[in-house]
Amino acid sequence: DGVTGYIVQPKDAEALARRVAELLERPEAAREMGAAARTRAREHFDARKMARATEREYLRLLGTEQL
C-alpha cells in the first residue's frame, strides 16, 4: 500500500476521494508510484512469462512434462 498504488475498500467513496486528493496534492509521489507500478507490471505480467506459466500449468494438469 503506497508503493505501487493504494488499496481502497469497495464502496468506500470517502477513502477513494482521500487517496485521489493525496495524489493530486503530491504529484511527485504520484509519478513515483506510477513508475513503480509500471515496473511491477512489466516484471510480473510480461506476455511471454504469462504464456510460459500458462503452458506449464496446462502441462501440469495434463500430467505431462512436454507435449
Side-chain angles (χ1 to χ4, degrees):
D1 196 27
V3 176
T4 58
Y6 290 121
I7 297 173
V8 177
Q9 292 300 313
K11 300 181 183 179
D12 190 346
E14 289 181 20
L16 179 59
R18 281 192 304 273
R19 291 302 194 178
V20 169
E22 181 179 332
L23 292 172
L24 291 172
E25 291 170 2
R26 301 176 54 220
E28 185 57 34
R31 277 190 288 279
E32 290 174 8
M33 195 179 293
R38 269 189 302 282
T39 298
R40 185 175 194 287
R42 284 186 184 130
E43 290 174 355
H44 295 280
F45 302 105
D46 173 72
R48 287 186 180 110
K49 287 181 184 179
M50 296 294 288
R52 283 192 298 269
T54 301
E55 179 184 28
R56 279 194 305 272
E57 185 62 15
Y58 279 129
L59 293 173
R60 185 188 70 78
L61 291 169
L62 293 170
T64 170
E65 292 181 16
Q66 296 180 3
L67 291 175

